[in-house]
Amino acid sequence: MQTDEQNMTVGRIALGLVGAAAGLSAWVLLDVLPDRLVDYPRMVLFLTALAGAFFVAVLAMVGPVSLRRAALAAAIYAGPVAILMTWASLRFDTVEDSLKSGHPLFAYTVLVLIPLPFMISRLQRGKWGQYDVLFDQSWNIVVRYVAAWLFVGAVWALLMLSDALFQLVGLTIIEDLLDIEAVPYLLTGTVLGVALAVVNELSDYVSPYLVLRLLRLLMPAVLVVVAVFLIALPFRGLSHLFGSLSVATTLLAMAGAAATLVTTALDTDDSRAVKGSLMGLTCQALALCLPALAGLAGYAVLLRVMQYGWTPDRLAAATIATIALGYGTAYAAAILWRQDWQGRIRGSNVVMAVLVLCVAALWLTPLFSPQRLSTADQIARFENGRVKASAVDLWVIGHEWGRAGTRGLERLAALKDHPEATQMALLLEEFETAGNRMAFDNRRRVDDFAQRVDALGQVMPIRPEGATLPAALTVAFQEWDIRRFEDACARRTKGGNPGCVAVLADLAPNRPGDELMIVTLSAQGRPMANAYYAEHDPAVMVSPRYPQFEGSDTLSVADDALIDALIAGEYALRPVQARSVQVGGVEIYFGR
């Protein structure tokens, strides 16, 4: 009969061998096969996805279940996951382009990790959705892997230090060993497997309970931050908040943090959930904030879509926002229902986890191709006249959206009856001949820039009446200038005027001709001013030297009435005294 020590030794050897096999597979699949199977990259992708799913599952499940059962379960589910990953790569001409898009990798990771606690529950209890097993094993997998990888890092740090010490006396044993291509992979895998075996032996000591208790301490602080944000939002206004995908990312990250804290607070059952009325109310309040965060994130994505149309990244953000809203709605409904709200939230976590798995799988099938959907939307926006030819990002569509993007460009080339068919044909020709994104953008920018300046001249009030934007000065405009002017002109002052105005005036009597001053209204309702001076070639932009308006110290404290006054012609030119500093034959002058 084997002793406990013998069992531990056997377990360490077994997991060490599994880890070594994982490391050896990584070396073969990443370093050897790609060069040997150059003509079969999707076969390499399939095998890599298969091995990755299999070994991650085996190493995660051994401990709660036996090695034999873990290997059998991992082998059964790794195949479909690898097939889906390979299937998704067919959207692109090359595997490399598919991986660069990022979305298949994310969906693959979801499909590999989320089923693990479900499989452990099935193997342990005979049921797929035993919540106490799902909760405990989810956190156990995280803690065990983190602890094992920390040990792997420590081993490598010790190895590097030992190698440095040996080299002081002229020994290169470790360096020579590591120069063998397979050794780093084998070493990392073996150490990881042994470390996981040791962590399994110490499951009573290395457990997630400490992490869960510490996370509960964060719940009141997160609630305060979220509550202050939501309370301040109506007073601050929504216009400055939205319009950026990073806003949605921030809101979704906070929503994810809130959902995680609520889940950890409720634990596996009521007996292990947070105690005390204060923490219970905190948990409920944070759960009720979740729909607001998810809804605001979804609204931020929707605004970007309305402005610029769908892209794969926006589809991904919208999908995540919808899932977050699903969690938030389920949590809020459970709390408002009151009866057994904690149990209802736990049940909704299981349902939502299954839903996330289905969505991730759907993303890897032709039923939901973000590249195809995005291409169709961008082309439709051009076809129905919502955007001009210059606003269609041909480079992204043709080079980053795979085969759907290529077919989309062919469809654009076939639009002979479109009012901007000639302009689109020119852009497509530039796309074909441009060697890189920068070259394409530079070619397109010349025509696009002139069109946008002309369009600005139609919407921007120019004073004195009858004046036009001088080409000799608009050459100083930069892309960010044009974008700022366009955004400002779309706003309105309290007087109903566009939030932009251009003034031609002789701001520099020592220079021939007029200079151009443009004042725009910021998103915060404050005017911003810049002037454009003709320097021999080209013109340059000049920032104001803190002029005084109505007794104020700086322009930043003025309001949009300043723009209304300029449009009404209620301004005058007056000389400003200035002195220079002469020292060592050099004259230092602040101004123009």
Side-chain angles (χ1 to χ4, degrees):
M1 183 177 239
Q2 290 185 324
T3 64
D4 290 342
E5 185 175 348
Q6 290 174 325
N7 288 332
M8 287 190 296
T9 301
V10 171
R12 293 177 185 181
I13 292 174
L15 271 187
L17 291 173
V18 173
L24 184 61
S25 297
W27 171 63
V28 171
L29 292 168
L30 298 178
D31 285 357
V32 178
L33 283 187
D35 295 331
R36 304 288 178 86
L37 300 177
V38 177
D39 296 329
Y40 304 96
R42 297 188 205 282
M43 176 62 72
V44 177
L45 175 65
F46 171 77
L47 294 174
T48 303
L50 181 70
F54 174 79
F55 284 112
V56 167
V58 171
L59 292 172
M61 289 192 291
V62 172
V65 299
S66 67
L67 176 58
R68 181 181 62 82
R69 300 181 75 192
L72 180 61
I76 292 173
Y77 105 106
V81 174
I83 291 173
L84 285 173
M85 185 66 177
T86 309
W87 199 4
S89 74
L90 296 175
R91 300 170 185 172
F92 297 83
D93 291 331
T94 67
V95 170
E96 183 181 4
D97 288 340
S98 175
L99 298 178
K100 280 182 180 178
S101 68
H103 308 114
L105 276 176
F106 183 79
Y108 169 79
T109 302
V110 170
L111 290 176
V112 168
L113 296 181
I114 290 185
L116 297 179
F118 285 92
M119 290 193 292
I120 293 174
S121 176
R122 179 69 178 83
L123 294 172
Q124 275 190 345
R125 304 282 185 86
K127 297 181 179 179
W128 290 101
Q130 198 74 21
Y131 189 79
D132 58 339
V133 179
L134 297 179
F135 182 88
D136 284 339
Q137 293 305 324
S138 296
W139 285 101
N140 277 333
I141 289 171
V142 172
V143 171
R144 286 163 53 217
Y145 259 112
V146 169
W149 277 110
L150 285 174
F151 181 69
V152 171
V155 168
W156 272 102
L158 179 61
L159 201 62
M160 294 297 100
L161 182 61
S162 301
D163 180 50
L165 192 64
F166 278 2
Q167 290 193 23
L168 292 177
V169 292
L171 297 177
T172 60
I173 301 173
I174 297 178
E175 183 180 5
D176 294 340
L177 190 62
L178 295 179
D179 282 341
I180 302 173
E181 291 183 351
V183 169
Y185 292 95
L186 281 169
L187 178 63
T188 300
T190 303
V191 173
L192 179 65
V194 173
L196 284 169
V198 174
V199 172
N200 289 335
E201 297 165 10
L202 301 174
S203 58
D204 292 338
Y205 302 97
V206 184
S207 74
Y209 295 124
L210 175 60
V211 176
L212 297 178
R213 293 303 183 270
L214 289 174
L215 286 176
R216 290 181 181 183
L217 298 178
L218 297 177
M219 191 164 58
V222 172
L223 175 61
V224 170
V225 171
V226 172
V228 169
F229 167 77
L230 294 176
I231 293 171
L233 190 58
F235 298 98
R236 180 63 171 165
L238 299 178
S239 60
H240 76 286
L241 176 63
F242 300 114
S244 170
L245 199 59
S246 61
V247 172
T249 302
T250 301
L251 290 168
L252 289 174
M254 183 57 80
T260 300
L261 292 177
V262 170
T263 301
T264 58
L266 298 183
D267 216 292
T268 59
D269 54 52
D270 292 356
S271 65
R272 293 170 57 178
V274 290
K275 306 299 181 183
S277 58
L278 180 60
M279 288 298 288
L281 290 174
T282 300
C283 180
Q284 294 180 62
L286 188 57
L288 290 173
C289 290
L290 187 54
L293 292 172
L296 289 171
Y299 183 59
V301 175
L302 181 61
L303 287 180
R304 294 293 285 179
V305 171
M306 292 172 63
Q307 281 183 296
Y308 304 109
W310 287 108
T311 66
D313 285 345
R314 290 181 195 127
L315 281 167
T319 301
I320 297 173
T322 303
I323 291 172
L325 190 59
Y327 272 100
T329 302
Y331 285 14
I335 292 171
L336 295 176
W337 192 269
R338 299 308 304 166
Q339 184 178 4
D340 189 27
W341 64 271
Q342 295 184 355
R344 292 179 185 276
I345 288 180
R346 297 186 189 101
S348 68
N349 283 338
V350 178
V351 174
M352 290 303 301
V354 174
L355 179 62
V356 170
L357 275 175
C358 294
V359 171
L362 189 64
W363 265 73
L364 297 178
T365 69
L367 295 175
F368 190 91
S369 170
Q371 289 77 24
R372 186 187 71 245
L373 295 173
S374 300
T375 301
D377 180 68
Q378 293 294 333
I379 294 176
R381 285 165 59 83
F382 172 69
E383 284 181 316
N384 59 31
R386 282 185 289 170
V387 297
K388 295 183 177 298
S390 58
V392 181
D393 197 339
L394 299 179
W395 189 267
V396 168
I397 294 174
H399 282 284
E400 298 182 16
W401 291 0
R403 292 172 175 172
T406 301
R407 291 191 295 269
L409 295 186
E410 294 171 354
R411 180 177 165 187
L412 286 173
L415 297 175
K416 303 300 183 182
D417 297 330
H418 193 279
E420 291 197 16
T422 302
Q423 177 66 15
M424 178 58 72
L426 291 173
L427 289 172
L428 287 170
E429 183 179 348
E430 292 177 354
F431 169 82
E432 293 293 338
T433 57
N436 53 62
R437 178 65 190 255
M438 182 177 294
F440 176 67
D441 285 344
N442 287 339
R443 291 181 187 179
R444 189 176 65 169
R445 181 179 180 275
V446 176
D447 295 333
D448 182 41
F449 197 83
Q451 292 176 6
R452 292 170 72 184
V453 171
D454 289 342
L456 275 174
Q458 302 300 316
V459 298
M460 179 182 286
I462 305 174
R463 297 296 178 265
E465 291 280 359
T468 59
L469 294 175
L473 296 176
T474 58
V475 295
F477 289 175
Q478 301 295 321
E479 171 62 28
W480 54 85
D481 291 323
I482 295 289
R483 193 181 307 120
R484 176 163 60 90
F485 298 158
E486 290 171 340
D487 291 343
C489 290
R491 302 185 182 104
R492 284 294 179 268
T493 65
K494 294 185 181 69
N497 289 310
C500 60
V501 61
V503 177
L504 279 167
D506 189 5
L507 302 179
N510 59 327
R511 299 171 183 273
D514 289 338
E515 283 69 44
L516 175 65
M517 180 180 74
I518 295 183
V519 182
T520 56
L521 186 66
S522 70
Q524 290 73 34
R526 298 294 184 189
M528 300 173 59
N530 288 108
Y532 295 85
Y533 283 64
E535 301 286 349
H536 300 289
D537 186 25
V540 296
M541 184 189 76
V542 181
S543 297
R545 296 295 190 268
Y546 299 104
Q548 293 195 10
F549 289 91
E550 300 295 335
S552 301
D553 291 335
T554 67
L555 182 60
S556 62
V557 299
D559 58 24
D560 60 2
L562 176 66
I563 294 178
D564 292 331
L566 288 169
I567 293 175
E570 300 171 356
Y571 63 89
L573 299 179
R574 66 183 180 88
V576 178
Q577 293 183 347
R579 291 181 176 177
S580 63
V581 178
Q582 294 184 344
V583 55
V586 176
E587 186 175 43
I588 303 174
Y589 175 64
F590 297 90
R592 286 187 178 273

